[in-house]
Amino acid sequence: MSDTAARPPDILTLHARMSPQKLAVIHDRPDGKILRWTFAELEAQANKLANGLLALGLRPGEKLVWCGQNSPGVVRVVHAARKIGAVAVPLNYRLSPEEAQYVVDNSDAVMIYVDAEYVPLFQKIRGEIPKVREIVVYDGPAPAGMRDGDALVANASDSEPVAKASADAAQTMIYTSGTTGKPKGAVRGAANAAQSAALLGLIGYLPDDVYLTTGPLYHSGPGGFMGVAHALGNTVVLQKKFDAEDWLRLVEKYRVSTTFSAPTPVRLVCNLPAAVKAKYDKSSMRRFIANAAPWSFALKQMYLADFPVDSLFEIYGSTELGVNTVLRPEDQLRKPGSCGKPAPMVEIKLFDDEGKEVTQPRVPGELAVRSAGVFDTYHKAREKFEEDRRGDFHTVGDVAYFDEEGYYYICDRKKDMIISGGVNIYPAEIEAVLDAHPRVLDVAIIGIPNEEWGEAVHAVIVKLPDVMLTEEDILVYGREHLAGYKIPRSVTFAEEIPRNASGKILKKVLREPFWKGRDTRV
């Protein structure tokens, strides 16, 4: 029997057969335009694109970069790439030309699938990405030298594509955010089905759930959970670009029951005027996954004041390590600051600076994970993958501790730890406190040079619009809520906190002006 004949049907194909008329994708835009695809229609669209890409020469195992805001075109290419065994490489459309060129070239991509809106980005770098054989443009005209993706789909067969990769081949390569050094491509094969099923059971996903994209699909969180939604046969509602009130409109209109979100979008929803929030029914939300960056306790309290109290789940994970812990709704207020207990089929260990395992509660250590959800390797950076091994466990450098009940707490990224006067200070703890100030919209804590102490704690604050807030206000609040050595010694105000695509604060960007010209950054 051939490998193709022995292979089970693609998951999208199964849903198209079992529930052909069920809605798979809804793209409802504020301008009133709505596009709906059933599972049968999505299957046909994915097959057409897959066959079109094969006709252009894309082969199993080759890299396909895709770039665009949330749209049916993005959903189509994700399924099409999987069907033919191509390795999908999402590209952040906010990147500069230099950054985009690096990712495309480093990934060894041979083809690009791009929303017409972002064609100018690739026109700027076309001469610097020689490995790319074809650039396919969708949702708009293709300039000279690029392929018309809409025509490609229209003229292709909707039959199941023949070309497939082996079952253990890579499926995606998502570039990490580059919080240290150049971005690295995290290579992943097919998700471990048993672990995924156990996690879904723990959180309580249902086949009739409706998933809303709260964030860009190029990020592993929103995109990964969209993949979960379609694996379960859920309807996916697309929001092209986040808007807080429009997000509430979509929740009410489509009875959205699940989503995944970084802190910032939720903060914007919760900070809407009470009269605006009252216009929309939010009672359908059953599973709201908090992740991408830590949610402060103050933000959780704001969320729970507006949404069903049994809907909030927090998970801790990463592009590289998958989902590692889960904090259930009943523990959100009982365990402030915790990211929960290990997820099903996940083992966690903490290691001290000498590489010894931490076995006592409330002692910080570098968190390392062993599970089937850990990524395969870094593309062209195997040495970095091996460097982050701790025996059979793997780390991304986060510092954590566990309490007497086995709940984990992320202190910080190891590289962001401040050492002042020989004392380790973890910025995340201070950020959580200052975030609760009623006039603070966003906050970041960094270490800046200090001749006496080595480093001093510095706060970068974004205040709420149209309010008065001074450095003294922040320092007084800090003195009321923090131990003396944790209180910021200085404060600056900013229009926004720089963050990467996943919502993590770019501490190196904030630190750079203070450390510029110095031989050491600690």
Side-chain angles (χ1 to χ4, degrees):
M1 183 179 290
S2 71
D3 182 61
T4 300
R7 187 182 306 279
D10 180 80
I11 187 66
L12 177 58
T13 303
L14 284 176
H15 288 304
R17 291 174 183 172
M18 294 186 298
S19 306
Q21 299 309 308
K22 183 176 180 179
L23 284 174
V25 176
I26 301 172
H27 191 207
D28 184 334
R29 303 185 342 188
D31 62 9
K33 295 181 180 179
I34 303 175
L35 184 147
R36 297 180 176 90
W37 282 344
T38 64
F39 273 100
E41 290 167 334
L42 176 57
E43 166 79 351
Q45 287 284 330
N47 286 347
K48 280 174 168 286
L49 178 58
N51 285 316
L53 295 175
L54 287 173
L56 291 180
L58 186 65
R59 293 294 176 257
E62 290 188 314
K63 313 297 193 310
L64 168 69
V65 164
W66 61 263
C67 179
Q69 294 189 28
N70 298 352
S71 71
V74 166
V75 179
R76 176 172 58 196
V77 76
V78 168
H79 287 291
R82 182 191 65 253
K83 280 173 168 284
I84 59 176
V87 182
V89 184
L91 183 77
N92 180 351
Y93 49 78
R94 296 185 177 95
L95 295 183
S96 68
E98 180 181 351
E99 292 167 327
Q101 182 274 332
Y102 172 82
V103 171
V104 173
D105 189 64
N106 181 263
S107 72
D108 298 321
V110 300
M111 200 169 290
I112 292 171
Y113 179 78
V114 57
D115 188 315
E117 183 178 353
Y118 298 98
V119 160
L121 172 63
F122 293 94
Q123 288 177 315
K124 291 176 182 176
I125 65 172
R126 186 64 184 100
E128 302 171 66
I129 47 175
K131 299 171 204 171
V132 173
R133 302 192 295 259
E134 299 279 1
I135 298 179
V136 181
V137 180
Y138 68 96
D139 285 354
M146 298 186 185
R147 295 277 184 173
D148 185 332
D150 298 331
L152 184 73
V153 169
N155 296 324
S157 167
D158 64 0
S159 61
E160 183 71 16
V162 175
K164 294 182 184 294
S166 62
D168 59 350
Q171 287 194 346
T172 65
M173 187 162 75
I174 300 177
Y175 273 73
T176 59
S177 310
T179 50
T180 57
K182 289 283 191 181
K184 297 177 291 296
V187 180
R188 280 188 172 280
N192 180 277
Q195 184 191 23
S196 297
L199 176 63
L200 296 175
L202 178 67
I203 295 179
Y205 279 89
L206 298 171
D208 65 345
D209 275 323
V210 177
Y211 176 81
L212 174 59
T213 57
T214 309
L217 290 173
Y218 63 70
H219 177 239
S220 59
F225 275 84
M226 184 196 75
V228 168
H230 270 164
L232 288 171
N234 294 166
T235 299
V236 170
V237 179
L238 302 173
Q239 186 180 41
K240 182 175 182 179
K241 184 178 180 181
F242 182 79
D243 175 86
E245 184 172 357
D246 185 59
W247 185 91
L248 287 175
R249 177 185 71 85
L250 295 172
V251 168
E252 177 184 66
K253 182 173 180 178
Y254 295 106
R255 303 297 295 163
V256 169
S257 58
T258 183
T259 191
F260 170 105
S261 180
T264 301
V266 176
R267 188 185 302 278
L268 292 171
V269 170
C270 292
N271 277 324
L272 287 170
V276 172
K277 291 186 287 186
K279 290 162 51 179
Y280 302 97
D281 181 2
K282 303 173 286 292
S283 64
S284 61
M285 191 64 70
R286 295 190 299 218
R287 274 160 300 283
F288 199 114
I289 309 300
N291 187 239
W295 282 35
S296 69
F297 189 62
L299 180 57
K300 289 183 178 182
Q301 289 175 309
M302 292 169 66
Y303 171 88
L304 294 173
D306 286 327
F307 290 86
V309 295
D310 59 350
S311 64
L312 185 59
F313 290 79
E314 181 170 10
I315 63 172
Y316 161 73
S318 61
T319 300
E320 293 93 336
L321 305 185
V323 175
N324 304 143
T325 68
V326 179
L327 186 69
R328 295 181 58 82
E330 59 268 26
D331 294 321
Q332 296 297 335
L333 300 183
R334 189 176 75 89
K335 292 288 184 179
S338 174
C339 60
K341 289 187 172 184
M345 303 175 69
V346 172
E347 297 178 71
I348 294 177
K349 286 186 178 181
L350 304 181
F351 295 92
D352 65 19
D353 290 340
E354 297 178 355
K356 297 177 181 178
E357 184 180 354
V358 174
T359 58
Q360 296 300 313
R362 303 190 182 278
V363 178
E366 186 180 48
L367 184 147
V369 170
R370 179 166 66 183
S371 83
V374 172
F375 73 130
D376 298 341
T377 189
Y378 285 119
H379 182 61
K380 297 182 177 177
R382 183 72 188 184
E383 70 284 355
K384 175 59 179 171
F385 178 83
E386 296 297 336
E387 178 186 320
D388 291 339
R389 278 187 182 276
R390 303 294 179 264
D392 292 336
F393 289 70
H394 210 88
T395 182
V396 291
D398 287 338
V399 177
Y401 64 88
F402 58 86
D403 67 15
E404 291 76 6
E405 295 182 65
Y407 288 79
Y408 281 81
Y409 299 74
I410 305 300
C411 304
D412 223 316
R413 294 280 301 190
K414 194 171 185 178
K415 61 181 173 47
D416 290 335
M417 183 175 68
I418 299 168
I419 302 178
S420 184
V423 177
N424 292 350
I425 301 173
Y426 298 103
E429 183 179 359
I430 305 171
E431 288 163 354
V433 169
L434 298 184
D435 184 68
H437 191 291
R439 284 173 281 168
V440 168
L441 177 62
D442 206 358
V443 57
I445 298 296
I446 59 173
I448 63 174
N450 180 278
E451 294 302 321
E452 182 177 2
W453 302 103
E455 289 182 279
V457 178
H458 179 79
V460 181
I461 301 291
V462 179
K463 66 182 183 65
L464 283 169
D466 304 318
V467 300
M468 288 293 296
L469 188 64
T470 66
E471 178 180 30
E472 184 59 21
D473 292 333
I474 295 297
L475 299 182
V476 168
Y477 190 83
R479 286 193 286 269
E480 292 174 353
H481 299 280
L482 291 165
Y485 68 92
K486 299 178 183 177
I487 299 170
R489 297 302 188 259
S490 56
V491 178
T492 55
F493 291 88
E495 292 295 319
E496 64 178 4
I497 301 294
R499 295 178 181 272
N500 62 29
S502 64
K504 293 184 177 67
I505 299 170
L506 294 173
K507 296 286 179 80
K508 68 176 182 179
V509 173
L510 292 175
R511 283 194 293 255
E512 179 59 27
F514 297 95
W515 293 93
K516 188 174 182 179
R518 292 176 173 260
D519 294 329
T520 179
R521 299 299 174 98
V522 295

